[in-house]
Amino acid sequence: MVKKINSCVLISGKGSNLLSIIKSARDYNFPITIKLIISNNKDAYGLKYAKKYNIPHKFYSSKNQNQFERNCLSELKKNSIKFLCLAGFMKLLSKDFINNFKYKIINIHPSLLPKFKGLNTHKRVLKNKEKYAGCTVHYVNYKLDSGNIILQKKIFIKNNDTAKSLKKRVLTQEHKLYPEAIRSIFK
Ligand code: GRF
């Protein structure tokens, strides 16, 4: 049995990537354990997974970023959290916050970074007539979707793909890539 690293997942929405990490973390060989889930949206669907799997969870409003980060830091400390996964977390973290967890915060983005940082990725990918789409797990730095890349998965864009179908196909890959990236970090 590996000594698992106490980790927290930050979410804002559906939490399908959170679910894939929770499921992977049940494997005794998986390097991290999810000790805490934090949402900045009290209605995030992903909080249902926290309840279902009995994982401690907190909602903190991020309207006041300083307050949000102070709340998070204190809760992370209280739970001895050493590693953070952002999974559909829709708020940029400050440089100060990130400095507390250098190379210990990762994120997943639904594009082949460095291409298509930011929102509405799939729509922009199709508009640009790209041949490939995909997803990236990367370290978080203080610039949006710009930290060092850990792993990427590329998929071929079909002629009849829409932003919706592409989102769905990329998301399926995200659910495999995120746990794989976590394993690769701690290998
Ligand atoms: C995913 O596409 C992720 O790459 C992006 O936001 C979406 C979140 O989906 N950052 P979910 O909340 O994990 O279902």
Side-chain angles (χ1 to χ4, degrees), residues 67-94:
Q67 189 58 53
F68 173 76
E69 293 188 349
R70 268 203 303 275
N71 288 336
C72 287
L73 281 175
S74 119
E75 197 61 25
L76 294 169
K77 209 171 162 194
K78 210 169 21 171
N79 288 278
S80 307
I81 301 294
K82 304 287 181 228
F83 189 73
L84 306 183
C85 301
L86 311 189
F89 178 67
M90 304 302 281
K91 184 89 190 169
L92 264 183
L93 294 166
S94 73

PDB file of all heavy atoms in Angstrom, residues 67-94:
ATOM      1  N   GLN A  67     -10.878  36.768   0.832  1.00  0.00           N
ATOM      2  CA  GLN A  67     -11.573  36.009   1.877  1.00  0.00           C
ATOM      3  C   GLN A  67     -11.662  34.534   1.489  1.00  0.00           C
ATOM      4  O   GLN A  67     -11.424  33.646   2.309  1.00  0.00           O
ATOM      5  CB  GLN A  67     -12.973  36.611   2.074  1.00  0.00           C
ATOM      6  CG  GLN A  67     -13.721  36.059   3.262  1.00  0.00           C
ATOM      7  CD  GLN A  67     -12.958  36.259   4.569  1.00  0.00           C
ATOM      8  OE1 GLN A  67     -12.567  37.382   4.888  1.00  0.00           O
ATOM      9  NE2 GLN A  67     -12.708  35.186   5.301  1.00  0.00           N
ATOM     10  N   PHE A  68     -11.988  34.297   0.215  1.00  0.00           N
ATOM     11  CA  PHE A  68     -12.089  32.920  -0.284  1.00  0.00           C
ATOM     12  C   PHE A  68     -10.779  32.177  -0.065  1.00  0.00           C
ATOM     13  O   PHE A  68     -10.748  31.065   0.471  1.00  0.00           O
ATOM     14  CB  PHE A  68     -12.463  32.928  -1.774  1.00  0.00           C
ATOM     15  CG  PHE A  68     -12.416  31.572  -2.411  1.00  0.00           C
ATOM     16  CD1 PHE A  68     -13.440  30.652  -2.184  1.00  0.00           C
ATOM     17  CD2 PHE A  68     -11.356  31.191  -3.225  1.00  0.00           C
ATOM     18  CE1 PHE A  68     -13.399  29.372  -2.744  1.00  0.00           C
ATOM     19  CE2 PHE A  68     -11.307  29.923  -3.793  1.00  0.00           C
ATOM     20  CZ  PHE A  68     -12.331  29.019  -3.559  1.00  0.00           C
ATOM     21  N   GLU A  69      -9.694  32.829  -0.459  1.00  0.00           N
ATOM     22  CA  GLU A  69      -8.390  32.153  -0.359  1.00  0.00           C
ATOM     23  C   GLU A  69      -7.980  31.954   1.096  1.00  0.00           C
ATOM     24  O   GLU A  69      -7.381  30.943   1.446  1.00  0.00           O
ATOM     25  CB  GLU A  69      -7.338  32.924  -1.163  1.00  0.00           C
ATOM     26  CG  GLU A  69      -7.644  32.845  -2.659  1.00  0.00           C
ATOM     27  CD  GLU A  69      -6.554  33.420  -3.539  1.00  0.00           C
ATOM     28  OE1 GLU A  69      -5.634  34.080  -3.013  1.00  0.00           O
ATOM     29  OE2 GLU A  69      -6.633  33.199  -4.765  1.00  0.00           O
ATOM     30  N   ARG A  70      -8.323  32.934   1.938  1.00  0.00           N
ATOM     31  CA  ARG A  70      -8.010  32.776   3.374  1.00  0.00           C
ATOM     32  C   ARG A  70      -8.781  31.586   3.953  1.00  0.00           C
ATOM     33  O   ARG A  70      -8.221  30.766   4.677  1.00  0.00           O
ATOM     34  CB  ARG A  70      -8.371  34.062   4.133  1.00  0.00           C
ATOM     35  CG  ARG A  70      -7.192  35.044   4.232  1.00  0.00           C
ATOM     36  CD  ARG A  70      -7.356  35.987   5.410  1.00  0.00           C
ATOM     37  NE  ARG A  70      -8.611  36.724   5.345  1.00  0.00           N
ATOM     38  CZ  ARG A  70      -8.779  37.857   4.668  1.00  0.00           C
ATOM     39  NH1 ARG A  70      -7.761  38.399   4.023  1.00  0.00           N
ATOM     40  NH2 ARG A  70      -9.938  38.470   4.638  1.00  0.00           N
ATOM     41  N   ASN A  71     -10.075  31.499   3.581  1.00  0.00           N
ATOM     42  CA  ASN A  71     -10.893  30.369   4.060  1.00  0.00           C
ATOM     43  C   ASN A  71     -10.303  29.042   3.595  1.00  0.00           C
ATOM     44  O   ASN A  71     -10.193  28.088   4.363  1.00  0.00           O
ATOM     45  CB  ASN A  71     -12.326  30.476   3.520  1.00  0.00           C
ATOM     46  CG  ASN A  71     -13.111  31.582   4.180  1.00  0.00           C
ATOM     47  OD1 ASN A  71     -12.792  31.985   5.297  1.00  0.00           O
ATOM     48  ND2 ASN A  71     -14.129  32.088   3.512  1.00  0.00           N
ATOM     49  N   CYS A  72      -9.938  28.999   2.310  1.00  0.00           N
ATOM     50  CA  CYS A  72      -9.378  27.756   1.759  1.00  0.00           C
ATOM     51  C   CYS A  72      -8.093  27.391   2.486  1.00  0.00           C
ATOM     52  O   CYS A  72      -7.936  26.257   2.940  1.00  0.00           O
ATOM     53  CB  CYS A  72      -9.060  27.904   0.265  1.00  0.00           C
ATOM     54  SG  CYS A  72     -10.513  27.920  -0.761  1.00  0.00           S
ATOM     55  N   LEU A  73      -7.191  28.355   2.604  1.00  0.00           N
ATOM     56  CA  LEU A  73      -5.881  28.059   3.203  1.00  0.00           C
ATOM     57  C   LEU A  73      -6.036  27.518   4.615  1.00  0.00           C
ATOM     58  O   LEU A  73      -5.349  26.553   4.996  1.00  0.00           O
ATOM     59  CB  LEU A  73      -4.994  29.309   3.212  1.00  0.00           C
ATOM     60  CG  LEU A  73      -4.327  29.631   1.878  1.00  0.00           C
ATOM     61  CD1 LEU A  73      -3.562  30.949   1.963  1.00  0.00           C
ATOM     62  CD2 LEU A  73      -3.397  28.506   1.414  1.00  0.00           C
ATOM     63  N   SER A  74      -6.956  28.105   5.362  1.00  0.00           N
ATOM     64  CA  SER A  74      -7.105  27.644   6.740  1.00  0.00           C
ATOM     65  C   SER A  74      -7.665  26.220   6.769  1.00  0.00           C
ATOM     66  O   SER A  74      -7.210  25.376   7.530  1.00  0.00           O
ATOM     67  CB  SER A  74      -7.914  28.660   7.540  1.00  0.00           C
ATOM     68  OG  SER A  74      -9.075  28.114   8.036  1.00  0.00           O
ATOM     69  N   GLU A  75      -8.621  25.926   5.886  1.00  0.00           N
ATOM     70  CA  GLU A  75      -9.203  24.570   5.838  1.00  0.00           C
ATOM     71  C   GLU A  75      -8.188  23.548   5.309  1.00  0.00           C
ATOM     72  O   GLU A  75      -8.120  22.413   5.782  1.00  0.00           O
ATOM     73  CB  GLU A  75     -10.454  24.606   4.942  1.00  0.00           C
ATOM     74  CG  GLU A  75     -11.385  23.447   5.096  1.00  0.00           C
ATOM     75  CD  GLU A  75     -11.972  23.306   6.496  1.00  0.00           C
ATOM     76  OE1 GLU A  75     -12.057  24.309   7.233  1.00  0.00           O
ATOM     77  OE2 GLU A  75     -12.320  22.171   6.860  1.00  0.00           O
ATOM     78  N   LEU A  76      -7.379  23.982   4.349  1.00  0.00           N
ATOM     79  CA  LEU A  76      -6.367  23.079   3.778  1.00  0.00           C
ATOM     80  C   LEU A  76      -5.334  22.719   4.844  1.00  0.00           C
ATOM     81  O   LEU A  76      -4.901  21.576   4.966  1.00  0.00           O
ATOM     82  CB  LEU A  76      -5.676  23.741   2.570  1.00  0.00           C
ATOM     83  CG  LEU A  76      -6.589  23.992   1.358  1.00  0.00           C
ATOM     84  CD1 LEU A  76      -5.898  24.876   0.330  1.00  0.00           C
ATOM     85  CD2 LEU A  76      -7.022  22.675   0.720  1.00  0.00           C
ATOM     86  N   LYS A  77      -4.974  23.723   5.620  1.00  0.00           N
ATOM     87  CA  LYS A  77      -4.003  23.514   6.689  1.00  0.00           C
ATOM     88  C   LYS A  77      -4.575  22.572   7.750  1.00  0.00           C
ATOM     89  O   LYS A  77      -3.917  21.618   8.170  1.00  0.00           O
ATOM     90  CB  LYS A  77      -3.653  24.875   7.310  1.00  0.00           C
ATOM     91  CG  LYS A  77      -2.271  24.924   7.883  1.00  0.00           C
ATOM     92  CD  LYS A  77      -1.890  26.316   8.276  1.00  0.00           C
ATOM     93  CE  LYS A  77      -0.699  26.197   9.240  1.00  0.00           C
ATOM     94  NZ  LYS A  77      -0.464  27.447   9.934  1.00  0.00           N
ATOM     95  N   LYS A  78      -5.816  22.862   8.113  1.00  0.00           N
ATOM     96  CA  LYS A  78      -6.488  22.050   9.137  1.00  0.00           C
ATOM     97  C   LYS A  78      -6.511  20.563   8.742  1.00  0.00           C
ATOM     98  O   LYS A  78      -6.416  19.681   9.585  1.00  0.00           O
ATOM     99  CB  LYS A  78      -7.919  22.572   9.286  1.00  0.00           C
ATOM    100  CG  LYS A  78      -8.428  22.366  10.666  1.00  0.00           C
ATOM    101  CD  LYS A  78      -9.712  23.019  11.097  1.00  0.00           C
ATOM    102  CE  LYS A  78     -10.737  23.500  10.235  1.00  0.00           C
ATOM    103  NZ  LYS A  78     -11.985  23.931  10.642  1.00  0.00           N
ATOM    104  N   ASN A  79      -6.650  20.316   7.441  1.00  0.00           N
ATOM    105  CA  ASN A  79      -6.743  18.932   6.960  1.00  0.00           C
ATOM    106  C   ASN A  79      -5.412  18.387   6.448  1.00  0.00           C
ATOM    107  O   ASN A  79      -5.381  17.341   5.805  1.00  0.00           O
ATOM    108  CB  ASN A  79      -7.793  18.843   5.848  1.00  0.00           C
ATOM    109  CG  ASN A  79      -9.199  18.988   6.386  1.00  0.00           C
ATOM    110  OD1 ASN A  79      -9.773  18.035   6.868  1.00  0.00           O
ATOM    111  ND2 ASN A  79      -9.730  20.202   6.350  1.00  0.00           N
ATOM    112  N   SER A  80      -4.329  19.109   6.705  1.00  0.00           N
ATOM    113  CA  SER A  80      -2.983  18.698   6.259  1.00  0.00           C
ATOM    114  C   SER A  80      -2.948  18.347   4.771  1.00  0.00           C
ATOM    115  O   SER A  80      -2.388  17.326   4.371  1.00  0.00           O
ATOM    116  CB  SER A  80      -2.489  17.485   7.050  1.00  0.00           C
ATOM    117  OG  SER A  80      -2.564  17.719   8.402  1.00  0.00           O
ATOM    118  N   ILE A  81      -3.573  19.205   3.970  1.00  0.00           N
ATOM    119  CA  ILE A  81      -3.624  18.958   2.524  1.00  0.00           C
ATOM    120  C   ILE A  81      -2.295  19.373   1.883  1.00  0.00           C
ATOM    121  O   ILE A  81      -1.799  20.484   2.106  1.00  0.00           O
ATOM    122  CB  ILE A  81      -4.785  19.756   1.871  1.00  0.00           C
ATOM    123  CG1 ILE A  81      -6.126  19.368   2.478  1.00  0.00           C
ATOM    124  CG2 ILE A  81      -4.770  19.594   0.350  1.00  0.00           C
ATOM    125  CD1 ILE A  81      -6.609  17.974   2.247  1.00  0.00           C
ATOM    126  N   LYS A  82      -1.754  18.456   1.057  1.00  0.00           N
ATOM    127  CA  LYS A  82      -0.456  18.719   0.438  1.00  0.00           C
ATOM    128  C   LYS A  82      -0.543  18.851  -1.085  1.00  0.00           C
ATOM    129  O   LYS A  82       0.456  19.117  -1.748  1.00  0.00           O
ATOM    130  CB  LYS A  82       0.516  17.559   0.736  1.00  0.00           C
ATOM    131  CG  LYS A  82       0.697  17.268   2.210  1.00  0.00           C
ATOM    132  CD  LYS A  82       1.524  18.351   2.878  1.00  0.00           C
ATOM    133  CE  LYS A  82       1.740  18.067   4.344  1.00  0.00           C
ATOM    134  NZ  LYS A  82       1.470  19.223   5.189  1.00  0.00           N
ATOM    135  N   PHE A  83      -1.726  18.582  -1.654  1.00  0.00           N
ATOM    136  CA  PHE A  83      -1.844  18.555  -3.112  1.00  0.00           C
ATOM    137  C   PHE A  83      -3.263  18.960  -3.514  1.00  0.00           C
ATOM    138  O   PHE A  83      -4.230  18.520  -2.882  1.00  0.00           O
ATOM    139  CB  PHE A  83      -1.541  17.124  -3.590  1.00  0.00           C
ATOM    140  CG  PHE A  83      -1.406  16.980  -5.071  1.00  0.00           C
ATOM    141  CD1 PHE A  83      -0.282  17.475  -5.737  1.00  0.00           C
ATOM    142  CD2 PHE A  83      -2.393  16.342  -5.815  1.00  0.00           C
ATOM    143  CE1 PHE A  83      -0.163  17.336  -7.116  1.00  0.00           C
ATOM    144  CE2 PHE A  83      -2.271  16.202  -7.186  1.00  0.00           C
ATOM    145  CZ  PHE A  83      -1.152  16.699  -7.839  1.00  0.00           C
ATOM    146  N   LEU A  84      -3.354  19.818  -4.542  1.00  0.00           N
ATOM    147  CA  LEU A  84      -4.670  20.318  -4.975  1.00  0.00           C
ATOM    148  C   LEU A  84      -4.943  19.980  -6.439  1.00  0.00           C
ATOM    149  O   LEU A  84      -4.076  20.182  -7.302  1.00  0.00           O
ATOM    150  CB  LEU A  84      -4.733  21.846  -4.854  1.00  0.00           C
ATOM    151  CG  LEU A  84      -4.402  22.509  -3.520  1.00  0.00           C
ATOM    152  CD1 LEU A  84      -4.600  24.009  -3.628  1.00  0.00           C
ATOM    153  CD2 LEU A  84      -5.286  21.949  -2.437  1.00  0.00           C
ATOM    154  N   CYS A  85      -6.146  19.515  -6.705  1.00  0.00           N
ATOM    155  CA  CYS A  85      -6.575  19.276  -8.091  1.00  0.00           C
ATOM    156  C   CYS A  85      -7.725  20.227  -8.396  1.00  0.00           C
ATOM    157  O   CYS A  85      -8.748  20.210  -7.699  1.00  0.00           O
ATOM    158  CB  CYS A  85      -7.101  17.859  -8.262  1.00  0.00           C
ATOM    159  SG  CYS A  85      -5.931  16.581  -7.846  1.00  0.00           S
ATOM    160  N   LEU A  86      -7.565  21.041  -9.418  1.00  0.00           N
ATOM    161  CA  LEU A  86      -8.674  21.882  -9.872  1.00  0.00           C
ATOM    162  C   LEU A  86      -9.432  21.092 -10.937  1.00  0.00           C
ATOM    163  O   LEU A  86      -8.819  20.586 -11.884  1.00  0.00           O
ATOM    164  CB  LEU A  86      -8.164  23.199 -10.474  1.00  0.00           C
ATOM    165  CG  LEU A  86      -7.135  24.000  -9.650  1.00  0.00           C
ATOM    166  CD1 LEU A  86      -6.906  25.363 -10.292  1.00  0.00           C
ATOM    167  CD2 LEU A  86      -7.567  24.149  -8.208  1.00  0.00           C
ATOM    168  N   ALA A  87     -10.738  20.984 -10.753  1.00  0.00           N
ATOM    169  CA  ALA A  87     -11.530  20.193 -11.699  1.00  0.00           C
ATOM    170  C   ALA A  87     -12.796  20.985 -12.035  1.00  0.00           C
ATOM    171  O   ALA A  87     -13.783  20.921 -11.307  1.00  0.00           O
ATOM    172  CB  ALA A  87     -11.876  18.843 -11.078  1.00  0.00           C
ATOM    173  N   GLY A  88     -12.698  21.766 -13.113  1.00  0.00           N
ATOM    174  CA  GLY A  88     -13.826  22.624 -13.470  1.00  0.00           C
ATOM    175  C   GLY A  88     -13.979  23.736 -12.451  1.00  0.00           C
ATOM    176  O   GLY A  88     -15.092  24.191 -12.182  1.00  0.00           O
ATOM    177  N   PHE A  89     -12.860  24.187 -11.882  1.00  0.00           N
ATOM    178  CA  PHE A  89     -12.887  25.277 -10.906  1.00  0.00           C
ATOM    179  C   PHE A  89     -12.710  26.590 -11.667  1.00  0.00           C
ATOM    180  O   PHE A  89     -11.667  26.809 -12.303  1.00  0.00           O
ATOM    181  CB  PHE A  89     -11.773  25.082  -9.875  1.00  0.00           C
ATOM    182  CG  PHE A  89     -11.708  26.180  -8.859  1.00  0.00           C
ATOM    183  CD1 PHE A  89     -12.739  26.354  -7.950  1.00  0.00           C
ATOM    184  CD2 PHE A  89     -10.625  27.051  -8.815  1.00  0.00           C
ATOM    185  CE1 PHE A  89     -12.698  27.377  -7.018  1.00  0.00           C
ATOM    186  CE2 PHE A  89     -10.566  28.075  -7.885  1.00  0.00           C
ATOM    187  CZ  PHE A  89     -11.609  28.240  -6.986  1.00  0.00           C
ATOM    188  N   MET A  90     -13.758  27.429 -11.630  1.00  0.00           N
ATOM    189  CA  MET A  90     -13.831  28.564 -12.546  1.00  0.00           C
ATOM    190  C   MET A  90     -13.352  29.876 -11.933  1.00  0.00           C
ATOM    191  O   MET A  90     -13.985  30.919 -12.103  1.00  0.00           O
ATOM    192  CB  MET A  90     -15.277  28.734 -13.043  1.00  0.00           C
ATOM    193  CG  MET A  90     -15.852  27.507 -13.693  1.00  0.00           C
ATOM    194  SD  MET A  90     -14.872  26.952 -15.090  1.00  0.00           S
ATOM    195  CE  MET A  90     -15.438  28.111 -16.317  1.00  0.00           C
ATOM    196  N   LYS A  91     -12.249  29.839 -11.216  1.00  0.00           N
ATOM    197  CA  LYS A  91     -11.746  31.072 -10.618  1.00  0.00           C
ATOM    198  C   LYS A  91     -10.226  31.035 -10.659  1.00  0.00           C
ATOM    199  O   LYS A  91      -9.626  30.009 -10.341  1.00  0.00           O
ATOM    200  CB  LYS A  91     -12.241  31.113  -9.154  1.00  0.00           C
ATOM    201  CG  LYS A  91     -11.907  32.355  -8.414  1.00  0.00           C
ATOM    202  CD  LYS A  91     -12.984  33.390  -8.586  1.00  0.00           C
ATOM    203  CE  LYS A  91     -12.563  34.735  -8.061  1.00  0.00           C
ATOM    204  NZ  LYS A  91     -13.460  35.797  -8.443  1.00  0.00           N
ATOM    205  N   LEU A  92      -9.627  32.151 -11.060  1.00  0.00           N
ATOM    206  CA  LEU A  92      -8.154  32.204 -11.067  1.00  0.00           C
ATOM    207  C   LEU A  92      -7.657  32.363  -9.637  1.00  0.00           C
ATOM    208  O   LEU A  92      -8.194  33.174  -8.876  1.00  0.00           O
ATOM    209  CB  LEU A  92      -7.703  33.414 -11.883  1.00  0.00           C
ATOM    210  CG  LEU A  92      -7.345  33.200 -13.333  1.00  0.00           C
ATOM    211  CD1 LEU A  92      -6.850  34.505 -13.946  1.00  0.00           C
ATOM    212  CD2 LEU A  92      -6.288  32.113 -13.485  1.00  0.00           C
ATOM    213  N   LEU A  93      -6.636  31.628  -9.277  1.00  0.00           N
ATOM    214  CA  LEU A  93      -6.071  31.747  -7.927  1.00  0.00           C
ATOM    215  C   LEU A  93      -4.935  32.767  -7.948  1.00  0.00           C
ATOM    216  O   LEU A  93      -4.230  32.909  -8.947  1.00  0.00           O
ATOM    217  CB  LEU A  93      -5.558  30.379  -7.463  1.00  0.00           C
ATOM    218  CG  LEU A  93      -6.661  29.325  -7.270  1.00  0.00           C
ATOM    219  CD1 LEU A  93      -6.069  27.930  -7.160  1.00  0.00           C
ATOM    220  CD2 LEU A  93      -7.530  29.649  -6.065  1.00  0.00           C
ATOM    221  N   SER A  94      -4.761  33.449  -6.827  1.00  0.00           N
ATOM    222  CA  SER A  94      -3.745  34.513  -6.793  1.00  0.00           C
ATOM    223  C   SER A  94      -2.340  33.907  -6.687  1.00  0.00           C
ATOM    224  O   SER A  94      -2.165  32.745  -6.283  1.00  0.00           O
ATOM    225  CB  SER A  94      -3.980  35.425  -5.598  1.00  0.00           C
ATOM    226  OG  SER A  94      -3.601  34.740  -4.417  1.00  0.00           O
TER     227      SER A  94
END
